[in-house]
């Protein structure tokens, strides 16, 4: 009987091998062994539930045809699935299920699992029993949408994240990829999505894992020969949040296993959320097939926050910590740390610590003294470039437009104020100021300065603009 069983399966394999790529055959069919043949039913053993699902999803038609060709129209295939290889008896725990392609189980039938066994799938986070559903999501409860400050720099990403949190796996944002430089809030945002899903949909299995942690777990599973348990655990999740996927670069085997997990989750309508320091098109060291899947959904970037957002971040932190700081101190910190939310909050923490330890009130003098080593540009000489940047940020106009020939009112206003402040606050000559602002001559600079002085004397609103900008420059 065993010989006939093996012969039938080998004949099936010959047909299958001629119809699929060689690599697919090695991956999905060579690990299968024939167990028994009872009448028209051929039973084969597959190493995991993952194998069973993949075969039924991708090769069920081919399997059905080859089995019927060998056993006749009544020929049927049944799987014997290895569920647990850690049984104390030395024999792996297995369970059988008929193929969906032969009229046995319906596509939606769930895999029968042994209720009494708590070692079905080894959890890489050391959580016993998949069916217990006691999965620690590895989320920081402090990361929520409530304390995530929205601004122009992150509005698209936050809106997409909120939509995903409301309907995980049911939007076109799957996968949702959040990318941006270090310290701009990627981890906060994706964990906020995870926390919101758990709050609104407590039955959903959510897991957050860094790419480095995932790679370490994969290596451990290889060492312990538990790779199927590792894969099965992640494929059982409803939402997977993978941080810093750029760290997959160069790790071909780990990319391969994540590729299969990704496919399973996506095809099952589960939500995938990933972060990276670069856009998919700029990532290097990753397989093209993985990069193409990263582009399936939405890629949203986090940009450097503008001044208003930085001030809002500081005020939010002050409110959370129950403290009050002078407006000039908040504006000083926000004006001088302009490229990183993490550094911004770190500077505030340092300032509070200095005040508490030395028992001093926080004022502008203390802020300048404390942060002089923290802020690179605290003692810098005011330059035309910095003046232009601050003026453009204040009026919300592009820097390059100030140097252009355009005569739009708001651009001319920003250009003239920039020239006026450059003349009064730097040692630059009229000729060099004109050259800096788009190659204009010294007479244009003289006219701009005279216009600004006249408007300061006659236009209260305009005077307020100039005073605000001068204040910000002095604080720097």
């Amino acid at each position: 009987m065993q010989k006939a069983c093996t012969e039938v399966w080998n004949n099936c394999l010959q047909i299958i091998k001629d119809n699929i790529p060689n690599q697919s055959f090695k991956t999905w069919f060579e690990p299968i062994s024939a167990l028994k043949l009872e009448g028209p039913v051929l039973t084969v053993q597959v190493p995991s539930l993952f194998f069973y699902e993949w075969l039924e999803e991708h090769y069920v038609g081919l399997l059905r045809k080859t089995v019927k060709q060998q056993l006749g129209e009544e020929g049927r295939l049944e799987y014997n699935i290895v569920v647990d290889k850690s049984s104390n008896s030395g024999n792996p725990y297995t369970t059988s299920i008929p193929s969906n392609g032969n009229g046995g189980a319906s596509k939606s039938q769930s895999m029968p699992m042994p209720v009494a066994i708590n070692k079905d799938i080894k959890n890489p986070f050391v959580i016993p029993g998949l069916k217990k559903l006691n999965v620690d999501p590895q989320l920081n409860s402090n990361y929520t949408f409530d304390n995530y400050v929205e601004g122009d720099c992150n509005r698209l990403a936050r809106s997409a994240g909120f939509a995903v949190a409301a309907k995980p796996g049911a939007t076109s944002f799957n996968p949702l990829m959040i990318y941006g430089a270090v310290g701009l809030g990627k981890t906060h945002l994706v964990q906020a999505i995870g926390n919101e899903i758990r709050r609104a949909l407590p039955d959903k299995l959510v897991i957050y894992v860094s790419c480095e942690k995932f790679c370490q777990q994969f290596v451990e599973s290889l060492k312990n020969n538990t790779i199927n348990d590792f894969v099965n655990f992640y494929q059982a999740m409803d939402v997977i949040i993978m941080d810093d996927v750029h760290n997959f670069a160069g790790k071909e085997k780990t990319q391969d296993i994540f590729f299969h997990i990704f496919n399973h989750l996506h095809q099952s309508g589960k939500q995938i959320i990933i972060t990276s320091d670069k856009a998919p098109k700029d990532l290097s060291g990753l397989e093209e097939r993985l990069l193409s899947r990263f582009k399936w959904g939405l890629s949203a970037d986090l940009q450097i926050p503008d001044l208003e957002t930085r001030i809002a971040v500081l005020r939010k932190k002050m409110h959370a910590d129950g403290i009050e700081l002078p407006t000039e101190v908040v504006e000083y910190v926000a004006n001088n740390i302009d490229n990183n939310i993490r550094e911004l909050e770190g500077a505030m923490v340092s300032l509070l610590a200095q005040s508490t330890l030395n028992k001093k009130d926080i004022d502008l003098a203390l802020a300048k003294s404390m942060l002089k080593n923290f802020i690179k540009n605290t003692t810098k000489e005011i330059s035309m470039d910095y003046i232009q940047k601050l003026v453009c940020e204040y009026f919300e106009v592009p820097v390059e437009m100030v140097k252009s020939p355009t005569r739009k009112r708001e651009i001319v206003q920003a250009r003239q104020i920039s020239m006026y402040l450059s003349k009064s606050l730097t040692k630059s000559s009229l000729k060099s100021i004109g050259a800096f602002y788009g190659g204009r001559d010294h007479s244009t600079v003289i006219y701009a300065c005279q216009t600004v002085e006249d408007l300061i004397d006659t236009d209260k609103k305009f005077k307020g603009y100039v005073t605000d900008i001068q204040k910000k420059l002095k604080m720097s």
Side-chain angles (χ1 to χ4, degrees):
M1 181 65 70
Q2 179 62 37
K3 182 178 179 181
C5 165
T6 304
E7 285 180 357
V8 169
W9 180 239
N10 285 339
N11 291 338
C12 290
L13 289 179
Q14 280 301 122
I15 299 171
I16 293 169
K17 190 173 185 179
D18 291 338
N19 286 276
I20 66 173
N22 188 51
Q23 186 58 49
S24 297
F25 180 81
K26 287 182 177 180
T27 302
W28 300 110
F29 289 93
E30 284 190 356
I32 301 174
S33 58
L35 284 186
K36 61 183 177 179
L37 179 62
E38 294 181 346
V41 180
L42 172 66
T43 301
V44 296
Q45 187 172 83
V46 294
S48 71
L49 177 60
F50 171 51
F51 253 77
Y52 158 73
E53 291 175 341
W54 187 269
L55 290 171
E56 286 294 281
E57 187 169 350
H58 295 86
Y59 301 111
V60 65
L62 181 59
L63 283 166
R64 181 173 63 247
K65 289 177 182 178
T66 54
V67 169
K68 286 187 176 182
Q69 184 174 331
Q70 294 299 312
L71 299 177
E73 283 300 315
E74 298 299 319
R76 291 185 290 118
L77 184 67
E78 186 170 279
Y79 298 97
N80 183 271
I81 301 172
V82 178
V83 176
D84 181 36
K85 292 183 289 188
S86 59
S87 173
N88 293 331
S89 67
N91 297 317
Y93 185 93
T94 63
T95 187
S96 297
I97 187 170
S99 169
N100 291 340
N102 54 41
S106 67
K107 185 103 177 180
S108 61
Q109 178 178 342
S110 61
M111 171 69 187
M113 300 292 281
V115 178
I117 294 179
N118 284 335
K119 296 182 179 180
D120 301 346
I121 297 172
K122 287 185 176 62
N123 184 325
F125 292 102
V126 197
I127 304 160
L130 177 66
K131 289 303 176 182
K132 297 289 185 182
L133 301 183
N134 293 325
V135 177
D136 183 346
Q138 309 292 314
L139 294 168
N140 185 335
S141 59
N142 293 322
Y143 289 151
T144 66
F145 282 112
D146 288 340
N147 56 27
Y148 187 83
V149 177
E150 181 178 339
D152 290 338
C153 57
N154 59 26
R155 184 163 287 115
L156 171 62
R158 187 187 183 281
S159 299
F162 207 78
V164 165
K167 294 181 178 179
T171 71
S172 58
F173 308 146
N174 195 19
L176 173 62
M177 183 175 193
I178 307 296
Y179 67 92
V182 173
L184 295 182
K186 298 187 297 294
T187 298
H188 185 152
L189 179 56
V190 296
Q191 291 211 27
I193 298 171
N195 280 317
E196 179 61 20
I197 292 172
R198 294 194 72 237
R199 184 197 67 78
L201 303 166
D203 292 336
K204 294 286 186 183
L205 290 179
V206 180
I207 198 74
Y208 165 87
V209 62
S210 68
C211 181
E212 282 297 320
K213 183 70 173 176
F214 182 87
C215 293
Q216 291 170 12
Q217 292 172 347
F218 174 63
V219 171
E220 286 299 314
S221 70
L222 286 176
K223 288 180 181 177
N224 299 328
N225 197 28
T226 56
I227 186 64
N228 292 326
D229 299 323
F230 173 78
V231 170
N232 287 338
F233 172 79
Y234 279 104
Q235 288 188 338
M237 297 299 106
D238 295 304
V239 180
I240 182 170
I241 303 170
M242 175 77 72
D243 214 350
D244 296 331
V245 294
H246 52 268
N247 288 327
F248 273 135
K251 301 179 175 71
E252 293 181 6
K253 290 185 177 179
T254 315
Q255 288 184 49
D256 184 62
I257 208 70
F258 183 66
F259 172 80
H260 292 302
I261 291 171
F262 184 106
N263 276 351
H264 176 87
L265 293 173
H266 194 276
Q267 291 165 8
S268 302
K270 306 300 178 63
Q271 181 67 49
I272 303 156
I273 303 166
I274 54 180
T275 75
S276 173
D277 61 356
K278 297 182 182 72
K281 65 182 179 65
D282 297 323
L283 289 173
S284 59
L286 271 68
E287 294 181 11
E288 188 59 39
R289 61 176 184 168
L290 198 56
L291 288 175
S292 70
R293 278 156 177 76
F294 290 170
K295 299 172 186 176
W296 278 355
L298 174 70
S299 296
D301 67 328
L302 298 182
Q303 300 172 355
I304 294 174
D306 55 27
L307 178 62
E308 287 71 21
T309 303
R310 299 197 298 271
I311 291 175
V313 167
L314 292 176
R315 293 198 184 282
K316 176 76 77 171
K317 184 165 182 60
M318 288 163 51
H319 178 75
D321 294 341
I323 59 172
E324 283 289 336
L325 294 180
T327 300
E328 60 183 5
V329 172
V330 175
E331 292 180 352
Y332 172 75
V333 175
N335 269 298
N336 286 278
I337 301 181
D338 58 2
N339 65 337
N340 192 306
I341 295 292
R342 193 175 298 161
E343 286 185 11
L344 192 67
E345 294 183 337
M348 180 65 78
V349 170
S350 299
L351 187 58
L352 294 173
Q354 182 71 10
S355 171
T356 302
L357 292 173
N358 294 328
K359 298 181 179 179
K360 292 182 178 179
D361 292 335
I362 298 177
D363 54 18
L364 187 57
L366 178 64
K368 287 186 175 182
S369 174
M370 174 57 200
L371 301 181
K372 63 183 177 182
N373 296 321
F374 198 97
I375 302 172
K376 292 181 181 179
N377 59 12
T378 299
T379 57
K380 72 181 179 191
E381 180 181 349
I382 295 176
S383 64
M384 287 191 288
D385 191 65
Y386 184 66
I387 290 171
Q388 177 187 243
K389 176 178 178 292
L390 200 62
V391 171
C392 290
E393 192 174 70
Y394 185 85
F395 288 111
E396 298 182 346
V397 298
V399 171
E400 61 272 13
M401 292 299 292
V402 171
K403 295 183 178 182
S404 71
T406 182
R407 299 297 299 171
K408 287 185 178 179
R409 184 175 178 277
E410 64 272 17
I411 302 299
V412 171
Q413 178 177 261
R415 183 190 301 134
Q416 290 180 336
I417 292 177
S418 296
M419 288 180 171
Y420 169 78
L421 293 172
S422 295
K423 179 177 179 295
S424 60
L425 298 176
T426 73
K427 297 177 182 178
S428 302
S429 65
L430 295 176
K431 183 178 180 180
S432 61
I433 293 173
F436 180 82
Y437 291 101
R440 292 169 168 80
D441 58 32
H442 72 284
S443 62
T444 302
V445 180
I446 293 173
Y447 175 78
C449 293
Q450 188 60 55
T451 300
V452 170
E453 288 174 356
D454 292 343
L455 286 171
I456 288 174
D457 292 337
T458 59
D459 189 331
K460 196 171 184 179
K461 188 175 182 181
F462 184 88
K463 181 180 180 180
Y465 295 156
V466 177
T467 301
D468 281 349
I469 295 170
Q470 287 175 324
K471 181 180 177 183
K472 292 178 186 299
L473 287 168
K474 289 177 181 177
M475 288 174 62
S476 65

